[in-house]
Amino acid sequence: MKPHSGTLIIDISGGQKAEAYEGVYQCTARNKHGTAVSNNIVIRQSRSPLWSKEKIDPFIVQEGASLVLPCRPPAGLPPPIIFWMDMSFQRIPQSRRVSQALNGDLYFSNVILDDSRNDYICYARFPHTQTIQQKQPITVRVINMDAINETMAAFLNDTDFFSDGPSEERRPMFLVPSETGSTKMVLRGQVLELECIAEGLPTPEISWSKVSGEFPSKRTTFHNFHKTLRITDVSEADAGEYRCTAKNRLASVHHIIGVTVKAAPYWITAPRNLVLAPSETGVLTCRAGGNPKPTITWSMNGIPIENSPKDPSRKVEDDTIIFTDVRTGSSAVYQCNASNEYGYLLSNAFVNVLAEPPRVLTPSDKVYQVIMNKPALLDCASFGSPIPRITWFKDTRSSVLEGDSYVFHQNGTLEIHVAQTTNSGKYTCVATNSLGISENHVYLEVKEPTRILRQPEYWVVQRNRDVVFECKVKHDPSLTPTMIWLKDNGELPDDERFVVDSDSLTIIDVTENDEGTYTCIMNTTLDQDSASASLTVVEQPDAPTDLELTDQRDRSVQLTWIPGDEHNSPIKKFLIQYEDALHQPGIWHNLTEVPGIKTTAHLKLSPYVQYTFRVLALNNVGYSQPSYPSRSYKTKAAAPDENPSEVEAMGTHHDNLVISWKPLTGLQSNGPGLQYKVMWKQMDVENQWASVTVANVSKFVVSGTPTFVPYEVKVQALNDYGSGPEPKVVVGYSGEDFPLAAPNNVQVFVQNSTLAEIHWMPVPPNSVRGRLKGYRVYYMKQRDQHKHNGHHTEQQVLNFSANKTHGKLPGLHPYSSYKLNVRVFNNRGEGPPSPTLQFETPEGAMASRQVDIATQGWFIGLMCAIALLILVLLIVCFIKRNKGGKYPVKEKEDAHADPESQPMKDDDVTFGEYSDSEDHKPLKGSRTPSNGTVKRDESDDSLVDYGEGGDGQFNEDGSFIGQYSGKKERDTAEGHESSEAPSPVNAMNSFV
């Protein structure tokens, strides 16, 4: 005797006496929460064995043939439960090929060699007695043609007796049912089970259909690998013909099962108690269905009605008894019996003949409370004989309640479909019959519904944050509300972090355990409302784990990892970093990123690097901690894959060439012994490259070069394993020297009193000895002609671009003497000056440098503000005048007029205007346009003709950077001009 997976197995195959194990057994199951004890199980020796103890002969069957192992225990009530097991108490595996029929037999559609065994055992468990019986083990031996040939060859001189080919395929053929056609009878309300088992090779598939109709979908199931059709709660509509089809690749066959449904009697209308008043009429009805149709018999007070005393007020018509003009004393108990061959029904009905005035049974002054827009039911239970007639009134008995808004039930209840506040009040029900009248008062109160106005919101928060679920509610003020919070439809955790207020739930320092659905429920005595929201706690993902390197090659490796917990926020991507322990130990570099759905990356590597990898995961919250580093992987050294970048060549002195480049990093070196081969040759002069190999530097100086000549240079990387690719050629120039020649044929053409134009011839290119940057004009005023004395001013300088051979000298003083020279300059400096040239300007009110105030931004803003203020004052004045008030300020303005508000005359202010006329006479005074610009004359001057500069000042080296505008000089002869500043009012008039 030994337990097996919760099952107690008693093995008496070793010859033990079964009597020793007879008795009552109980199964006890315990854990830390408690103990459970099963019902009593009785084990007793069968004095008359269910099965014969005789040994069953083995079943020897050819491979591929069908086989049936019988079980068929004696019948019992209820019938036993059959199951097949082996000696190890393991169930025999079942499939489409091997299955157990409803009668307990084990069917093989075709056998295979693996079906050979000697322990097919059929067990029968009888639920009523809690006993299990087993049949003797059955041996099955499956043989194939090779085995038969070997056996027969010993007797037939090694001659094949049977074919050694594989088992032949067979068309399907039904094993169950075995007959051509079959029928099945089932009772209404019971379970219908139809079974089809077929043999064949390959194993046939079973399908079902109903010949005339469809299966009831909610009551139909298929079992035993589609071999059994089960329909529960059978009705008459389930009768008909059912087709089962067996099919394999050779053919298909079908079998028709005719199903008939019989029914024990069932009630259609059972007789009900009857209360009649004297002289009233009543009916008792007893109707039952069934197949075959039930027979109805009546009894009165337990005696068949045909044997009861005659009563002229009673008439029996099959399933109905009619009472007419009943009399007091006719009360009795009547029984109805409906029966057929499958069962019977029996029901009693009491017929009571009495005379009673009405009585209302509902308590008086009862108060009904109901929520608005819900139905209201007002009871008026009554008793009386004859049955009272119920009438309802509201508030007063002036009018009877009627209409579509009300429903009057047979039991006297008044129903209001949709209750409104106007339905509140006093209701009176009146019960009336021929013997009297009775009334009762009830009250109806219609309340406002409970509604959640602000529902809790869905939250996605990081761990250790606070969360507030709001639940604001509106309810009827006369009802007492109760707020309840639930978590996942259960109580809130007993935790002080959960704070419940009148209309909110606060969770402090949320953790992952706080995730779930939170529901607020507002209860009153009449109704409730609820709303739910979920809480999701997110945080950075956990670090990836189990980094593994596979497919290791010279320039690549496969990296795989296992993602960490996402913490409710999907991983968006993985960042792969590496450390180069050979060149930059302790420093992690970003290598690549892969999408969050991947856990593998194919990494491209560089030679001569000792790699260690780690992975970080990123979700919407942020990056995880780095994973533990992978194992180290060192790539083989190789020749450089690239050359230095940013190669440049330029001279710093007139006889050198500096070649510079951006060195390769340790990762780019590809191997030890990194060096640079620097190569150069003079362009279009030398054919052979000069070269030098250097290390640990980023430039090399070539000395003894000609001045400013082009060189071709290139820089190639190399290490102990070879050279890099062929480098690109870069062109540069050796150093520059000062120019040798000065511009010649310099000429000056005076345009007017303030402007002159200068021309020169360009210098020969070979004399520049560098990159020509431009021409520089030095000029200086020597004296004013009308003052008759020397008045030297500071020398001024104008720069002109290299492609220029002429330019303009603006801002000259009228009637003055100037001297100038021109020089060429390159990056090294200036060349010698040209011969000094002198010129004089003719007489001419200098171009004015005065700026028109009306074009200044601050002035425009100020004027806009003043205009807006005046507009507001005018509006206020207009409103005051319309109201009849007197505006004293206006009177003062009329008495003391502001002189500045008068119109400005044309000759109030005079500005000088630039003129290019040949007579250089002063122009008539005119007002400057409001935009502050001066109209150009007919000259074809353009800004590109003037020197480079900006605001009328000078650089430290004397270069003129000013705007084309002369510096105003005041003269005693100009004293007649007004020095008064422009009036803001006049400027405002011009602006408006």
Side-chain angles (χ1 to χ4, degrees):
M1 181 170 63
K2 59 182 179 179
H4 181 78
S5 301
T7 302
L8 180 64
I9 299 171
I10 302 175
D11 186 2
I12 58 175
S13 60
Q16 298 92 335
K17 292 184 178 181
E19 295 87 346
Y21 298 103
E22 290 187 330
V24 179
Y25 290 78
Q26 283 184 330
C27 173
T28 303
R30 293 188 180 92
N31 64 14
K32 63 180 180 181
H33 300 294
T35 303
V37 181
S38 71
N39 296 330
N40 292 338
I41 301 175
V42 179
I43 297 180
R44 58 183 174 82
Q45 181 186 12
S46 175
R47 305 304 183 212
S48 53
L50 293 176
W51 279 302
S52 171
K53 296 297 184 179
E54 295 180 1
K55 185 176 181 180
I56 302 175
D57 293 334
F59 286 82
I60 302 176
V61 60
Q62 178 184 339
E63 181 183 11
S66 61
L67 175 66
V68 181
L69 300 183
C71 182
R72 299 172 189 167
L77 289 177
I81 299 173
I82 305 300
F83 52 94
W84 288 80
M85 301 181 76
D86 59 16
M87 286 291 191
S88 301
F89 301 102
Q90 301 296 317
R91 286 188 179 271
I92 300 297
Q94 298 192 25
S95 62
R96 284 196 308 112
R97 188 179 62 84
V98 182
S99 59
Q100 176 182 315
L102 293 176
N103 65 359
D105 293 349
L106 190 64
Y107 283 81
F108 295 77
S109 295
N110 51 76
V111 295
I112 60 176
L113 294 177
D114 289 343
D115 293 329
S116 298
R117 61 193 309 163
N118 60 0
D119 58 352
Y120 286 95
I121 304 174
C122 178
Y123 289 85
R125 182 167 67 87
F126 296 88
H128 184 67
T129 59
Q130 292 293 309
T131 58
I132 296 177
Q133 294 290 334
Q134 74 178 54
K135 197 171 184 176
Q136 288 296 318
I138 299 176
T139 298
V140 173
R141 185 178 304 157
V142 181
I143 60 176
N144 60 14
M145 293 300 98
D146 291 338
I148 295 176
N149 285 334
E150 290 174 1
T151 303
M152 299 302 295
F155 300 97
L156 298 178
N157 202 16
D158 289 337
T159 301
D160 283 349
F161 189 74
F162 295 104
S163 168
D164 58 357
S167 302
E168 294 184 358
E169 295 184 343
R170 301 190 311 282
R171 297 160 55 93
M173 186 172 64
F174 285 107
L175 300 175
V176 177
S178 58
E179 57 272 11
T180 304
S182 59
T183 60
K184 178 82 171 181
M185 191 278 291
V186 64
L187 290 180
R188 181 180 185 269
Q190 293 185 351
V191 177
L192 170 64
E193 286 187 319
L194 304 179
E195 182 179 46
C196 278
I197 301 176
E199 63 100 3
L201 187 67
T203 303
E205 293 185 358
I206 304 296
S207 61
W208 291 88
S209 63
K210 190 175 182 183
V211 176
S212 57
E214 301 290 337
F215 295 128
S217 58
K218 294 183 179 179
R219 297 185 288 114
T220 303
T221 54
F222 297 94
H223 303 271
N224 196 20
F225 308 99
H226 232 258
K227 298 176 184 179
T228 303
L229 167 66
R230 179 178 296 170
I231 300 177
T232 59
D233 193 18
V234 172
S235 66
E236 288 82 351
D238 297 323
E241 293 185 340
Y242 291 80
R243 176 188 288 116
C244 71
T245 302
K247 180 180 180 181
N248 65 10
R249 62 171 170 256
L250 298 182
S252 65
V253 295
H254 67 269
H255 183 91
I256 300 295
I257 304 175
V259 175
T260 58
V261 179
K262 301 293 184 179
Y266 57 90
W267 285 120
I268 297 176
T269 303
R272 303 177 65 182
N273 294 338
L274 191 62
V275 179
L276 298 174
S279 302
E280 276 192 331
T281 297
V283 176
L284 280 181
T285 302
C286 179
R287 292 177 183 167
N291 187 6
K293 183 179 179 180
T295 301
I296 304 296
T297 59
W298 289 93
S299 299
M300 186 186 78
N301 295 331
I303 301 173
I305 200 164
E306 59 268 18
N307 298 332
S308 301
K310 301 298 181 182
D311 186 350
S313 65
R314 180 184 68 221
K315 182 180 179 181
V316 179
E317 295 183 353
D318 192 17
D319 59 0
T320 303
I321 299 180
I322 303 173
F323 299 94
T324 57
D325 195 20
V326 296
R327 294 170 296 182
T328 305
S330 298
S331 300
V333 176
Y334 291 84
Q335 296 90 27
C336 170
N337 185 302
S339 61
N340 65 10
E341 60 185 284
Y342 300 109
Y344 69 92
L345 296 173
L346 183 65
S347 179
N348 296 330
F350 182 69
V351 178
N352 192 5
V353 181
L354 74 159
E356 286 287 338
R359 284 183 291 146
V360 178
L361 304 180
T362 300
S364 180
D365 298 326
K366 184 176 181 180
V367 178
Y368 294 89
Q369 293 181 331
V370 69
I371 295 297
M372 187 170 62
N373 298 322
K374 299 291 183 181
L377 297 173
L378 308 182
D379 294 331
C380 186
S382 63
F383 179 78
S385 184
I387 297 176
R389 175 176 176 270
I390 304 298
T391 307
W392 281 93
F393 302 89
K394 183 176 185 297
D395 295 333
T396 64
R397 295 183 59 177
S398 59
S399 60
V400 178
L401 289 180
E402 57 185 1
D404 295 336
S405 301
Y406 305 100
V407 177
F408 302 95
H409 293 273
Q410 290 291 334
N411 62 359
T413 298
L414 170 64
E415 179 179 357
I416 303 174
H417 282 308
V418 182
Q420 303 295 326
T421 54
T422 56
N423 297 124
S424 298
K426 174 183 175 183
Y427 287 80
T428 302
C429 77
V430 178
T432 307
N433 68 6
S434 59
L435 300 179
I437 185 172
S438 178
E439 68 176 34
N440 188 38
H441 305 293
V442 295
Y443 298 87
L444 175 63
E445 296 177 356
V446 180
K447 305 293 186 181
E448 290 286 337
T450 302
R451 289 290 177 265
I452 294 178
L453 302 180
R454 179 179 296 176
Q455 299 185 354
E457 296 180 349
Y458 174 82
W459 278 94
V460 178
V461 297
Q462 297 184 33
R463 194 162 54 103
N464 299 326
R465 300 287 182 88
D466 295 346
V467 170
V468 178
F469 289 108
E470 290 187 327
C471 189
K472 295 189 180 299
V473 182
K474 177 184 178 183
H475 61 86
D476 192 285
S478 64
L479 300 177
T480 302
T482 303
M483 176 72 79
I484 300 175
W485 284 92
L486 303 178
K487 179 181 184 292
D488 298 329
N489 295 323
E491 294 184 355
L492 290 179
D494 186 12
D495 192 330
E496 61 183 7
R497 296 183 301 108
F498 290 78
V499 180
V500 178
D501 292 328
S502 60
D503 55 4
S504 66
L505 167 65
T506 302
I507 307 176
I508 302 172
D509 293 336
V510 297
T511 66
E512 289 184 342
N513 293 332
D514 298 331
E515 288 186 337
T517 301
Y518 290 84
T519 305
C520 69
I521 303 176
M522 177 60 77
N523 286 313
T524 66
T525 54
L526 297 181
D527 69 340
Q528 72 171 30
D529 196 12
S530 63
S532 301
S534 59
L535 170 63
T536 303
V537 181
V538 298
E539 57 180 316
Q540 294 96 333
D542 288 344
T545 59
D546 297 340
L547 272 64
E548 184 178 356
L549 299 178
T550 58
D551 192 19
Q552 300 174 4
R553 302 185 180 183
D554 292 344
R555 296 292 185 102
S556 67
V557 71
Q558 186 96 346
L559 175 65
T560 59
W561 62 90
I562 297 178
D565 193 336
E566 294 181 340
H567 295 293
N568 297 316
S569 180
I571 294 176
K572 298 166 63 177
K573 63 181 179 181
F574 293 99
L575 172 63
I576 301 175
Q577 297 180 330
Y578 74 93
E579 176 197 21
D580 180 5
L582 197 61
H583 302 100
Q584 291 180 305
I587 300 177
W588 290 92
H589 304 273
N590 294 340
L591 180 59
T592 187
E593 294 177 347
V594 296
I597 59 174
K598 291 188 174 182
T599 58
T600 301
H602 188 76
L603 307 178
K604 294 183 179 180
L605 307 179
S606 297
Y608 195 57
V609 177
Q610 187 168 343
Y611 284 100
T612 304
F613 302 100
R614 69 183 186 184
V615 183
L616 295 83
L618 175 69
N619 62 9
N620 286 328
V621 181
Y623 275 103
S624 68
Q625 291 295 319
S627 66
Y628 285 112
S630 70
R631 61 183 176 84
S632 179
Y633 178 58
K634 184 177 180 181
T635 56
K636 296 180 180 179
D641 293 327
E642 54 186 311
N643 292 310
S645 59
E646 302 180 15
V647 177
E648 294 180 348
M650 60 182 297
T652 57
H653 292 87
H654 66 90
D655 59 351
N656 76 356
L657 178 69
V658 178
I659 304 173
S660 62
W661 60 91
K662 182 179 180 181
L664 298 182
T665 64
L667 189 67
Q668 296 171 314
S669 65
N670 285 9
L674 177 64
Q675 293 180 309
Y676 302 102
K677 183 178 182 181
V678 185
M679 295 167 279
W680 69 94
K681 69 175 182 177
Q682 188 173 343
M683 189 174 179
D684 299 330
V685 176
E686 299 174 343
N687 294 325
Q688 298 298 323
W689 290 90
S691 65
V692 65
T693 301
V694 296
N696 301 321
V697 295
S698 60
K699 67 178 180 178
F700 178 76
V701 180
V702 180
S703 302
T705 64
T707 301
F708 197 66
V709 294
Y711 277 85
E712 292 179 313
V713 300
K714 54 185 180 179
V715 181
Q716 185 179 33
L718 55 137
N719 61 18
D720 293 348
Y721 288 82
S723 301
E726 179 65 22
K728 294 181 180 181
V729 175
V730 176
V731 177
Y733 283 81
S734 58
E736 301 182 27
D737 206 345
F738 295 104
L740 295 175
N744 56 21
N745 198 19
V746 178
Q747 303 179 58
V748 176
F749 301 94
V750 178
Q751 302 293 314
N752 55 44
S753 61
T754 60
L755 178 66
E757 188 171 294
I758 181 173
H759 291 252
W760 62 89
M761 292 294 291
V763 297
N766 57 359
S767 68
V768 178
R769 299 204 297 179
R771 204 174 300 277
L772 177 61
K773 302 296 290 184
Y775 295 89
R776 190 166 288 160
V777 178
Y778 287 83
Y779 65 100
M780 181 177 63
K781 186 175 75 169
Q782 292 182 300
R783 67 178 184 278
D784 288 334
Q785 298 287 354
H786 67 279
K787 293 186 177 180
H788 306 291
N789 60 346
H791 184 70
H792 294 273
T793 60
E794 186 178 355
Q795 182 174 251
Q796 300 181 47
V797 180
L798 280 178
N799 290 333
F800 296 92
S801 60
N803 60 350
K804 283 289 192 177
T805 59
H806 68 278
K808 294 184 182 299
L809 304 180
L812 303 178
H813 286 207
Y815 200 52
S816 300
S817 177
Y818 285 86
K819 66 177 181 178
L820 61 78
N821 61 65
V822 183
R823 307 176 190 182
V824 67
F825 65 96
N826 60 16
N827 287 323
R828 185 68 188 274
E830 297 177 348
S834 66
T836 300
L837 192 66
Q838 293 188 349
F839 67 94
E840 295 180 351
T841 57
E843 295 185 30
M846 292 284 296
S848 175
R849 294 175 58 92
Q850 183 174 349
V851 178
D852 188 358
I853 194 174
T855 64
Q856 301 302 303
W858 65 269
F859 181 73
I860 294 175
L862 176 62
M863 292 300 101
C864 289
I866 294 175
L868 181 61
L869 180 60
I870 293 174
L871 180 61
V872 173
L873 291 176
L874 290 175
I875 293 174
V876 173
C877 178
F878 179 76
I879 294 174
K880 289 288 187 179
R881 286 186 178 277
N882 286 346
K883 289 184 177 181
K886 192 172 182 181
Y887 186 42
V889 178
K890 182 64 172 64
E891 296 178 356
K892 293 182 179 180
E893 289 178 347
D894 293 339
H896 305 283
D898 188 355
E900 291 187 353
S901 65
Q902 302 301 319
M904 185 172 65
K905 297 180 181 179
D906 289 344
D907 55 356
D908 285 346
V909 180
T910 302
F911 296 95
E913 184 175 282
Y914 172 75
S915 173
D916 195 24
S917 60
E918 294 186 359
D919 55 4
H920 311 297
K921 293 182 180 179
L923 298 178
K924 182 179 179 182
S926 62
R927 186 171 302 172
T928 303
S930 60
N931 60 6
T933 62
V934 180
K935 187 181 301 184
R936 285 192 59 182
D937 57 12
E938 301 300 325
S939 172
D940 59 353
D941 293 350
S942 87
L943 289 178
V944 297
D945 295 327
Y946 298 92
E948 301 169 358
D951 57 1
Q953 302 299 323
F954 293 89
N955 288 330
E956 292 180 356
D957 61 355
S959 299
F960 180 74
I961 58 174
Q963 180 179 346
Y964 175 40
S965 174
K967 183 177 180 181
K968 183 176 179 181
E969 292 185 358
R970 303 194 61 87
D971 198 290
T972 55
E974 300 170 349
H976 65 279
E977 295 184 7
S978 173
S979 62
E980 183 179 351
S983 169
V985 177
N986 293 340
M988 182 62 187
N989 290 336
S990 299
F991 176 74
V992 176

